Amino acid sequence: MNCAHRSLTRRLVPLALALVPMAGCSFIGDSDDGVALAVPSPSAQAAAVCQALHKELPTTVNGLKRGTAEPASDYTAVWGDPAVQLRCGVPRPAAMGSATKSAEVNGVEWLPEKQKDGYRFTTVLRRAYVEVTVPGKYAPEINALLDLAKAVKKTVPKGVA
């Protein structure tokens, strides 16, 4: 068994520990305000995948109510305030390389990238790159991916974008 087939628990625990200190609280909020978000320009193949994903996205992520991304697009979605942001059809991340370590969350591989405030996660080995930015307020940030994995697995086929 190679490192790509390690168990979910074995891969998530080190990542969760590296991402944030352990905390016993969570934030549950909602947002009805629009959130400005750059809309990706995916290829035709990725656009079809992203439109299918958009239809399957959950109404809540990590207890946060889905808001309205501005401008409205089938390639973006937001939850909460500050917003957990999803963009589908983004370009391949510059940080992705042969030595890059990914984390598996419920059957979906993600590339974690530390940001000034929180983390950005991008899908790995899928036909379209899906990027999720999670503010540090929602630590451990990886929890947001738990609610998104089902929709990604269902609509974004495995493969290389």
Side-chain angles (χ1 to χ4, degrees), residues 11-123:
R11 296 181 76 191
L12 277 182
V13 171
L15 178 63
L17 293 175
L19 291 179
V20 294
M22 299 305 271
C25 60
S26 64
F27 174 83
I28 298 188
D30 59 29
S31 175
D32 291 324
D33 298 328
V35 176
L37 189 60
V39 177
S41 299
S43 67
Q45 176 187 342
V49 168
C50 293
Q51 290 166 350
L53 172 62
H54 194 262
K55 292 176 185 174
E56 296 295 327
L57 290 173
T59 57
T60 60
V61 168
N62 200 27
L64 304 167
K65 181 180 169 187
R66 188 164 175 179
T68 304
E70 295 293 336
S73 170
D74 285 348
Y75 310 133
T76 61
V78 295
W79 295 264
D81 184 17
V84 170
Q85 302 176 349
L86 179 143
R87 297 184 329 129
C88 184
V90 298
R92 182 178 192 261
M96 192 174 287
S98 61
T100 304
K101 292 185 180 183
S102 62
E104 181 182 350
V105 179
N106 290 349
V108 178
E109 294 283 333
W110 299 88
L111 168 69
E113 295 177 84
K114 177 73 175 128
Q115 303 292 293
K116 182 177 178 182
D117 176 32
Y119 273 81
R120 176 175 55 218
F121 301 94
T122 307
T123 54

